Amino acid sequence: MTTYVLVHGAWGGGWKFARVASLLRKRGHSVFAPTLTGAGERSHLLSGAINLSTHVTDVLNVIRYEDLSGVVLLGHSYGGMVITQVADRIAEKIAALVYLDAFVPEDGQSLFDLNIPANTQMFLTRAGDNGGLLIPPPPAKAYFGVNDGDAARVDELAAPQPIGTMIEKVKLTGAYRGVKKRVYVHGAVLPRESPFKRFYEAAKANGWDAHALPCGHDIMLDLPDELTEILDEAGK
């Protein structure tokens, strides 16, 4: 049995992993899909004071209080920023890192540093139009290529993303490099330029277990069976 901790991205929630979590549990695995502070069913806690450190603490606390070890830690999109810093803090508890169409930061980088400049400017503008501290969610289908069956629900459940989560820079000692097993899964079909393609290409060049799937950004919704197979292999 493998233990998985699945961390969602911006404007998301743990609910996005329901299908994959169910499939993994049917295979006998233990799965945690925490919702980060201010998102999903925790959107009542939404505040402009939330930053990347808040979300790193969310995940660290799940691993601490559930007494988890040997964890396959997955981060989707923005979640890549979170899991990298989590792994740097508790590398001894992490068996593998899975970046699901996610940002892969180095020390001192923020999400805005890594994103395509046009995307960063759009998020800043949208935050400015919304009081400056919260970024309204982009449309799921037009921006992320979410499938027709899920797009309306993604739009309905998406909460604004605190801008501090994208401005704050990661603080890494390098301990996370002790996690040798790395996986990158890229959603190769996006209705815009993908900021994640270069991370996938770098992962492949560096010998990671790298996959490009024929779907949009929300791979866990578009191709849950294929993602489950990849995660099951990552846990071996």
Side-chain angles (χ1 to χ4, degrees):
M1 183 188 77
T2 301
T3 299
Y4 295 85
V5 175
L6 312 177
V7 181
H8 64 84
W11 308 290
W15 65 271
K16 279 193 173 184
F17 289 109
R19 293 171 194 160
V20 171
S22 176
L23 290 168
L24 287 170
R25 288 173 182 136
K26 285 178 181 177
R27 297 181 180 214
H29 302 306
S30 178
V31 184
F32 297 82
T35 290
L36 303 174
T37 301
E41 73 274 15
R42 304 183 70 200
S43 58
H44 60 289
L45 301 175
L46 184 61
S47 161
I50 294 169
N51 57 17
L52 175 60
S53 292
T54 311
H55 291 162
V56 169
T57 301
D58 285 337
V59 178
L60 286 170
N61 280 347
V62 170
I63 294 171
R64 176 189 176 193
Y65 285 95
E66 296 291 347
D67 195 21
L68 306 181
S69 61
V71 172
V72 174
L73 181 60
L74 176 149
H76 176 237
S77 195
Y78 156 74
M81 307 295 292
V82 178
I83 68 166
T84 304
Q85 194 155 312
V86 168
D88 196 65
R89 296 273 295 275
I90 53 167
E92 71 281 359
K93 294 184 177 292
I94 310 302
L97 287 169
V98 180
Y99 291 85
L100 184 63
D101 226 22
F103 295 98
V104 185
E106 299 288 345
D107 182 46
Q109 292 180 321
S110 71
L111 187 146
F112 279 165
D113 292 331
L114 296 172
N115 210 337
I116 294 169
N119 291 349
T120 295
Q121 186 55 55
M122 183 191 74
F123 295 160
L124 288 169
T125 299
R126 289 171 67 84
D129 293 340
N130 194 47
L133 296 178
L134 301 173
I135 307 169
K141 182 173 177 58
Y143 195 73
F144 293 118
V146 176
N147 67 80
D148 289 338
D150 287 307
R153 186 163 185 255
V154 172
D155 285 333
E156 177 187 358
L157 297 182
Q161 184 77 8
I163 198 168
T165 62
M166 298 189 179
I167 290 174
E168 185 181 358
K169 299 178 185 294
V170 297
K171 302 176 184 66
L172 304 172
T173 68
Y176 72 101
R177 299 186 188 280
V179 182
K180 299 302 183 185
K181 195 164 193 179
R182 308 284 183 91
V183 180
Y184 200 97
V185 187
H186 176 44
V189 182
L190 204 63
R192 59 185 176 88
E193 181 183 0
S194 173
F196 307 105
K197 183 179 179 181
R198 70 182 179 96
F199 295 112
Y200 160 70
E201 291 175 344
K204 187 164 63 169
N206 289 326
W208 295 23
D209 181 18
H211 306 261
L213 300 183
C215 65
H217 182 54
D218 280 9
I219 298 166
M220 71 287 269
L221 298 178
D222 292 341
L223 296 176
D225 293 295
E226 289 85 344
L227 179 57
T228 298
E229 288 293 337
I230 293 168
L231 291 177
D232 195 41
E233 188 65 28
K236 293 179 180 176

